[in-house]
Amino acid sequence: MTQNSPLVVAFDLDDTLAPSKSPIDPRIGDLLVRLAERVEVAIISGGQIEQFRTQVVDLLPEAPDALSHVHLLPTCGTRYDRFDGTAFSPVYAHGLTDEEKSAAIVAVEEEARRLGVWEAHAWGERIEDRGSQITFSALGQSAPVDAKRAWDPDGAKKNALRQAVAVRVPDLEVRSGGSTSVDITRKGIDKAFGMRRLSEQTGIALSDMLFYGDRLDPDGNDRPVLDMGEVACVAVTGWEDTADHLDALLKELPPRV
């Protein structure tokens, strides 16, 4: 495969298709539908399904035929949703046990307080149970994008918290998430896991997939996809950059047979 002839085009969500926790621009919605008329389109993120709905699904142009070629993988692929003709419904969902959730929640709150990253003011809940993932957001789930970007520009706070929590819950996976978040899942759950599940579900080889992400750097949550060595990856700097890449890609893709 070349980058101009993938069978699946997959995307990170926050800061790749839209600013963090924000709705997609109409330009992205139009491009995603046009892309789904040519190839399979996947979105994979640490966010839960409700985030996918409010940021993307509810804003896509009406195009049932195209939407049947869209694949949603919330919480890094521990859940998988497809369009059934009227709505996106789960094909599978694998959740954490109550004991695993409790251990993760206690550890992340205690370590955040100890490290001084349990901020006095937060926009919404700091700790969210996403079923298959516990997510800590230092500034709250609804923090403004500018505040998130300013909180930990070099990732030092987030990485220190990740390391401290990992010691507390050695049987679970602790990863840096978005700009202010840490995600806790079962071992081996990251975006590489989700891409492998996507390959299994579609029957399409990883070598025929193309992935766009804003955090392909060594500490980034998109990096596991690059490290697989099988999926072609493109680093982007925001949704506008992604849109420009898609404009160019669509000129190269043949119509669906």
Side-chain angles (χ1 to χ4, degrees):
M1 183 203 78
T2 69
Q3 287 190 4
N4 293 334
S5 59
L7 301 181
V8 172
V9 180
F11 303 89
D12 167 51
L13 178 47
D14 281 345
D15 297 318
T16 296
L17 291 178
S20 179
K21 301 288 175 62
S22 302
I24 57 170
D25 186 90
R27 181 184 173 197
I28 285 287
D30 177 65
L31 286 166
L32 289 176
V33 167
R34 289 171 55 201
L35 190 62
E37 292 171 347
R38 307 287 185 90
V39 297
E40 302 302 298
V41 172
I43 303 173
I44 180 168
S45 167
Q48 62 180 330
I49 189 61
E50 287 74 15
Q51 183 180 338
F52 281 62
R53 291 186 180 120
T54 58
Q55 286 188 252
V56 182
V57 173
D58 293 348
L59 301 168
L60 291 174
E62 240 183 277
D65 289 344
L67 294 183
S68 68
H69 296 283
V70 174
H71 309 253
L72 304 181
L73 294 101
T75 50
C76 294
T78 56
R79 173 170 170 156
Y80 174 57
D81 283 46
R82 294 293 306 276
F83 190 69
D84 62 12
T86 56
F88 280 88
S89 301
V91 176
Y92 68 71
H94 305 305
L96 293 167
T97 66
D98 290 342
E99 291 79 7
E100 288 169 330
K101 291 178 183 180
S102 178
I105 289 169
V106 168
V108 76
E109 178 170 350
E110 290 183 354
E111 293 303 319
R113 290 185 183 278
R114 183 180 69 81
L115 292 170
V117 295
W118 188 274
E119 302 293 345
H121 174 73
W123 289 266
E125 293 295 321
R126 293 180 177 86
I127 299 177
E128 184 180 11
D129 178 353
R130 296 180 174 176
S132 55
Q133 177 175 293
I134 299 298
T135 294
F136 169 77
S137 298
L139 301 181
Q141 293 295 321
S142 303
V145 172
D146 289 346
K148 288 183 175 185
R149 288 175 178 162
W151 181 75
D152 187 25
D154 63 356
K157 295 178 185 177
K158 191 171 54 172
N159 287 334
L161 179 61
R162 179 191 61 76
Q163 292 168 7
V165 174
V167 172
R168 293 280 302 271
V169 288
D171 294 333
L172 297 176
E173 188 87 31
V174 185
R175 303 183 317 278
S176 294
S179 53
T180 65
S181 64
V182 168
D183 298 328
I184 306 169
T185 65
R186 290 212 174 102
K187 285 286 188 184
I189 305 299
D190 55 23
K191 288 181 182 174
F193 168 90
M195 294 298 286
R196 291 189 183 99
R197 299 294 81 74
L198 178 64
S199 179
E200 290 172 4
Q201 291 290 326
T202 60
I204 297 172
L206 292 166
S207 58
D208 286 320
M209 297 185 182
L210 175 62
F211 175 80
Y212 291 88
D214 71 300
R215 291 298 312 277
L216 290 164
D217 55 281
D219 292 323
N221 61 353
D222 297 324
R223 181 67 179 220
V225 182
L226 180 62
D227 287 343
M228 296 171 78
E230 299 176 78
V231 178
C233 294
V234 177
V236 294
T237 57
W239 74 263
E240 298 96 336
D241 189 25
T242 302
D244 290 343
H245 277 285
L246 292 184
D247 278 333
L249 179 63
L250 281 163
K251 292 176 183 176
E252 302 290 336
L253 287 174
R256 188 186 297 277
V257 177

